[in-house]
Amino acid sequence: MTPPVLETKGLSKSFVSGTERVDVFSGLDISLAPGQSLSLVGRSGSGKSTLLNIVCGLESADCGTVSILGQRFDTGDAESPRARERRWASLRRQRIGVVFQDANLMPALSLADNVRLRARLAGRSTTDSQDWLQRLGIGELANRYPDQVSGGQRQRAAMAMVFAMQPDLILADEPTGSLDRHTADEVADTLFALQADAGVTLVLATHDTELAGRCESILDMAHRNDPGPGG
Amino acid sequence: MNAAAALFSHYRRHPLQLVALALMILISTMLWSGMNHLTDQARSSLGRAEQSLSEGSQVIREDGAPVTVADFARLRRAGLCVMPWLEVPDPDGVGRLIGIDPLAAACFASGAMSGEQPALDGEPFIDMARAARLAGSPGDEAPPLVLLAADSVSADGLPTGYALASFARGPDTGELGASFLLNLDALGVLVLLITALLLRAVYQLSIVQRRDSFALLHRFGVPGKRINGLLMIEVLVLAGVCVLPGVWAGAQLARALGEGFGRSLEGLFDVTLYADGSQWWRSILVMMIVVLIACLPVRTLPHWLKRSRGVGWLGLGLLAIGMVWVAWSPGLVWTFVAVGLVFVGAGVLVPRLMAGIMATLSSRVDDPLGRWRYRELGVMARQLALPVVALQFTLALVLAVQTLVTTFEATFEQWLDQRLAAHWYVQVPEGRSGDRAADWLAQKLEPGTAAWHRIRRGTVMVDSGAGPSHRVDLLAVSPIGPLMEKWTLQSSLAHPWKLLADNQGVLINEQLALRYGVGVGDSLVLTLNGRVQSRTVLGVYADYGRPSGEVLVNGADLPADFQPEFESFSISPGGRGEAWLVSGFERIWQVPEIEIRENSDIRAMATRVFRQTFVLTRAMTFLTLTLAGTALLIMGWVFITSRAWYLQLLVTWGLSRREAFGELVRVSLGLTTTVSLLALPLGVWLTWVLVHRINPQAFGWSLPMAVYPGFWLELLALSTVIGLGIAALMGRQLRPGRMVALPANQSGGGER
Ligand SMILES: Nc1ncnc2c1ncn2[C@@H]1O[C@H](COP(=O)(O)OP(=O)(O)OP(=O)(O)O)[C@@H](O)[C@H]1O
Ligand SMILES: [Mg+2]
């Protein structure tokens, strides 16, 4: 049996703002096999983004374990913050692709240069960046800047960047959240097609039930009773 | 929540911005009003020195000899209304006393000189007899007697041998004094301009950040006029609160700098700085207006100013015209106008140039991250254009002033070394002649090991052939020997000292050469004690720190009856000591005690005085630099904060926070370093203008053009500090566990 790409055990996170303490989630266990897709749903504020940030190391959990792509991060470990940070950075650099709702591109670089930059950071060849833009249907926009294209085209470019780095895991936080229905569907189609094609594992946070339904399993962050992946 | 509260809540979220804006207004007010305060004082002091008798005329002898009491008696007997005027140093204080003859003054029918109580504010008049007694006391050089002529005296009515001339006290500071004030005013305007730029930059920032709130208020039905009105009130309140303490701080600054400034005024013009109260309300008014203008919304300009290519060419054109103009400008005002053009041109051009350089560099590099750095720098150059330009101007100014001052010090010290080449200096006592002492020195001192010369000073009428003749200072030196030959000459014929020793001509100082357009090889007609001689100009020598023209002649060329106003010896006695000199002079001059001074003491004192001369300029430029640096720091910080998301993006893409911080450091250092690199040529050019154009036009003497790469390094180090400051402030945004919020108004793809 292949080990899971992503596994969390007893993951808890709370925020303290002023005197108030907000428990976002606690005792969260997830396990995700290679090539699988999982969607995170739940009302606003239920902790979808927080979870995504924790499993790519941009935020840290209060307690619990994250095992990801063969690396284990335990809040109880005596590892120095810097060493931990380095391990996370190297994972994000080469193996975890992150897509946000918006602002995934450097505004000062053309779409093609954005793709090249992401590929170069991941240590991949920068020569096929044009191909990736082409596959996402925006090849002719390669030399435009992010403010010169539409929101949907920007999200396509963001996908091109993620696929150009050839990751093992994609974390997408409402990747179609700022798009209209039609464009959202188009972008989602491309995302799932490429994901299946490359056999990449995908975790996707969304409010869109239709989009969520396209994933193999769904985790409702607001009413969590079935943390494990379905079927 | 009403509209006002909604608008101003911005500052509750960004208190630092409010503090920055307030500090900016306060400091600029302080700088400018302090500067203005001193300029006002200098203006009124110089004015007083001249005003007294600006219309006055005096009777002089056509033979160039000083007038005497006998001349006075002769003119009075001819029925002419003249009055003796003798300025003597106040024995009790530092000022001067003016001796007049009240009886003779009676014929000055009208005007300031009528009656026994001449109505000259602040001028202490004493009776002529007392003044004459004071003038007789040993010490300073004997003051010349002046015969003032009433309006009724005309040139035709004068007996032969006399002429009318205008009377101004001291060297004719008129034009030079005005230039000096113009210099100060120009510096003041430049400071005002730089601070206005900075003010605008910081204020615009708060406007840009509140644009969304404005739009929202507008949508909620608050009319645009009302929003603008509220903003105007905001500016007025802010200005009102900050300008007053600023003016107060300016007065304190003026007081702190006043001493050095007063010395420079005395050193340059022999004018005392009177501590006047300046018109503080004017400072307040001007600053309020400047703040208002700086913060006024400009709607028509930005778009075409930001993008158009034509504006770049316009900037280049202004720059070129200004540079050519400076080289040919006939006077100081035009020079300043031309410098203004160059600055405006540079201001328009530099942000574009920086963006262009970055665009070129980014297209050259292959590494995508390197390309990102350059593109990001280009965005900064455009977004931070105002503070960048202000910083560039200030850096250029600092470089130029620093270089000027250092050049001046070096040149002045070298010049003093040449002038004070002898070891000892002794003044011939009042009423004694240097003849016998000169014979004695010639006899006793061996030319090989010892060196000496005798200096006699007076005045001489000079006619250069163009225009009227002028009375200038006379410096007679004999013998012309090794003490002189180290003098560096600005220009000369071959072997000038040999020619001078052979009595083949004269040397003149730079002031005379510039003022009357005389050069090497020209001939001058000198009238001295009635003797009229034509002499060739053998060379021009530098003569720093005073405005008067001067002719240097071989002492052997003086008429026998020449009466020096002042006489001294400079001696390096070889093997002989001080005691030998003292006893020798005391014997010859039959005085109980003679004071001989070591030239090194004089040199130290002179150096000290002249160091003070530029205290003001130096202080002003450094304060302005601090201001500009701080402004760029704040602006850079706020700007990078607005782009923090993109640094976060780099972290998301797998750069460690450390590496991302490294990128931040590179970008902010890149910005400040480029600014200072671009400031260097402007600074070097400005140095040239100061040294070769403004200084001669303002003070009558020029300085050699020197370049000090050490200062360049200092400026680069300074800009590095500012760059690191920006990065350090920003580093907080990259602290772990802190996700930067997605920028609210950048969903359109962000600024590029
Ligand atoms: N830095 C923070 N400080 C304090 N509380 C925070 C912070 N970040 C998130 N929270 C809180 O944590 C909870 C979860 O936030 P999170 O952004 O993960 O929700 P979400 O499910 O992604 O919501 P949405 O669907 O609106 O994006 C919210 O209640 C939020 O207010
Ligand atoms: Mg979210």
Side-chain angles (χ1 to χ4, degrees), chain B residues 182-196:
Chain B
L182 189 62
N183 263 335
L184 288 181
D185 282 338
L187 186 62
V189 169
L190 194 63
V191 168
L192 207 59
L193 179 82
I194 291 175
T195 52

Side-chain angles (χ1 to χ4, degrees), chain A residues 85-105:
Chain A
E85 150 101 14
R86 257 204 301 274
R87 284 202 292 142
W88 272 122
S90 133
L91 277 179
R92 284 196 303 268
R93 194 165 182 144
Q94 287 164 342
R95 306 187 65 186
I96 308 177
V98 181
V99 184
F100 299 109
Q101 175 176 342
D102 205 339
N104 288 294
L105 311 171

